């Protein structure tokens, strides 16, 4: 069984209702975080998630609405009284994540370089990423330089996450027959370059044969009825609109 929790269904625009992009995935003996936008840690505590035990943090790209809580996360790992964690944390991101972390360590010093636990920094191209039983397939998507989407496979359960992207073949590949595809849908009010409209997200899900489509990354102006109706024009499966703290439980299909 895999539990997917939305920690942030919003965008860079401050919103009481929606935190910026962040998701948590938990399986029987492991867990990871995907993106850590501002507000992610607070939402994780609100959801009752044991944020401190994540085996990995996967970053899709370096826009602040996707990774601004990374430093508070490392700081909290080091300074939360009684945590006592000694297990390694994998930090995986686009090409450049090593340079980003080196730069941040230059600014903030030892707690970035030595957050009190072994930190293994990996970037795209370093080879396959396996976080315990979770196989991670990263793939470049159409957004900022080096931006990635992810496909996670835990046993027979497959989850795809777009990060930020415009429509591209790579995204269809990541989403192929996924049990859950989490696609950004930032372009609801106007066409935004390198983001998805509801129709485009639906088209991707349809072509990839996705079982459940979760639309996320909404600006405050997004109107749920409108988003749903527009996505329904191109996709006939189950469509969910993300809300902060929403949980989706995925069970492995019977053998
Ligand atoms: Zn972005
Ligand atoms: Zn974004």
């Amino acid at each position: 069984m895999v539990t997917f929790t939305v920690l942030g269904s919003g965008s860079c625009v401050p919103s009481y209702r929606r935190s910026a992009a962040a998701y948590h995935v938990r399986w029987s003996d492991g867990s990871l975080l995907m993106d850590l936008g501002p507000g992610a840690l607070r939402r994780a505590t609100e959801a009752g998630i044991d944020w401190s035990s994540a085996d990995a943090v996967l970053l899709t790209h370096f826009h602040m609405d996707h990774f601004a809580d990374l430093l508070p996360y490392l700081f909290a790992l080091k300074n939360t009284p009684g945590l006592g964690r000694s297990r390694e944390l994998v930090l995986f991101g686009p090409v450049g994540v090593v340079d980003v972390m080196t730069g941040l360590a230059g600014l903030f010093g030892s707690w970035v370089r030595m957050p009190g636990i072994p930190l293994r920094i990996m970037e795209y191209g370093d080879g396959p990423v396996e976080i315990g039983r979770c196989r991670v397939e990263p793939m470049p998507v159409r957004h900022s330089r080096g931006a990635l989407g992810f496909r996670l496979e835990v046993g027979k359960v497959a989850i795809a996450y777009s990060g930020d992207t415009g429509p591209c073949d790579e995204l269809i590949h990541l989403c192929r027959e996924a049990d859950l595809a989490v696609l950004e849908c930032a372009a609801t009010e106007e066409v935004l370059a390198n983001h998805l409209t509801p129709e485009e997200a639906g088209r991707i899900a349809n072509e990839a044969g996705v079982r459940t489509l979760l639309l996320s990354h909404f600006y405050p102006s997004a109107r749920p009825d409108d988003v749903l109706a527009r996505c329904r024009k191109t996709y006939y499966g189950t469509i969910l609109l993300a809300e902060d703290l929403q949980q989706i439980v995925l069970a492995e299909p019977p053998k």
Side-chain angles (χ1 to χ4, degrees):
M1 201 153 78
V2 179
T3 305
F4 182 91
T5 306
V6 178
L7 300 179
S9 59
S11 64
C12 64
V13 179
S15 158
Y16 178 77
R17 176 176 166 185
R18 299 187 189 279
S19 236
Y23 306 91
H24 182 261
V25 183
R26 180 168 54 79
W27 56 99
S28 60
D29 53 0
S31 65
L32 57 78
L33 291 150
M34 283 196 294
D35 280 342
L36 273 174
L41 283 186
R42 189 164 177 275
R43 282 291 196 241
T45 59
E46 205 175 346
I49 283 171
D50 180 7
W51 52 269
S52 70
S53 69
D55 299 292
V57 174
L58 313 180
L59 297 177
T60 58
H61 64 300
F62 301 120
H63 285 164
M64 279 299 153
D65 56 327
H66 292 255
F67 95 114
D69 255 10
L70 177 64
L71 293 193
Y73 184 67
L74 296 177
F75 197 65
L77 281 179
K78 182 159 189 168
N79 292 297
T80 300
L83 215 53
R85 170 176 173 156
S86 56
R87 226 165 6 92
E88 174 184 85
L89 175 73
V90 174
L91 174 63
F92 180 86
V95 170
V97 70
V98 173
D99 288 344
V100 166
M101 294 307 288
T102 303
L104 291 171
L107 278 173
F108 295 103
S110 64
W111 64 263
V112 174
R113 208 175 294 117
M114 294 177 285
I117 57 165
L119 182 63
R120 180 150 58 106
I121 302 173
M122 299 174 66
E123 54 184 40
Y124 179 70
D126 281 350
V129 190
E130 300 207 345
I131 310 298
R133 291 201 303 124
C134 180
R135 183 177 170 275
V136 180
E137 181 184 359
M139 188 158 283
V141 291
R142 210 181 80 193
H143 190 63
S144 55
R145 201 164 70 128
L148 300 172
F150 296 116
R151 179 185 177 89
L152 311 181
E153 291 180 358
V154 182
K156 288 188 160 54
V157 175
I159 298 172
Y161 171 44
S162 63
D164 282 359
T165 183
C168 57
D169 290 344
E170 290 81 358
L171 187 56
I172 297 172
H173 176 75
L174 285 178
C175 290
R176 62 192 186 279
E177 295 182 1
D179 300 287
L180 176 68
V182 185
L183 300 188
E184 70 116 303
C185 192
T188 53
E189 295 300 291
E190 55 182 319
V191 175
L192 292 173
N194 300 326
H195 286 284
L196 296 174
T197 64
E199 292 89 341
E200 288 167 340
R203 201 166 294 124
I204 297 281
N206 186 51
E207 287 187 31
V210 162
R211 294 195 182 85
T212 297
L213 169 59
L214 179 68
L215 297 176
S216 191
H217 210 32
F218 296 122
Y219 280 83
S221 55
R223 286 169 290 134
D225 289 353
D226 176 58
V227 171
L228 203 55
R230 288 172 59 190
C231 186
R232 182 57 76 204
K233 289 180 190 168
T234 51
Y235 176 65
Y236 311 102
T238 304
I239 305 169
L240 303 174
L241 305 184
E243 293 287 344
D244 287 18
L245 306 179
Q246 180 179 12
Q247 285 197 326
I248 297 168
V249 177
L250 302 157
E252 290 195 33
K255 294 192 172 83

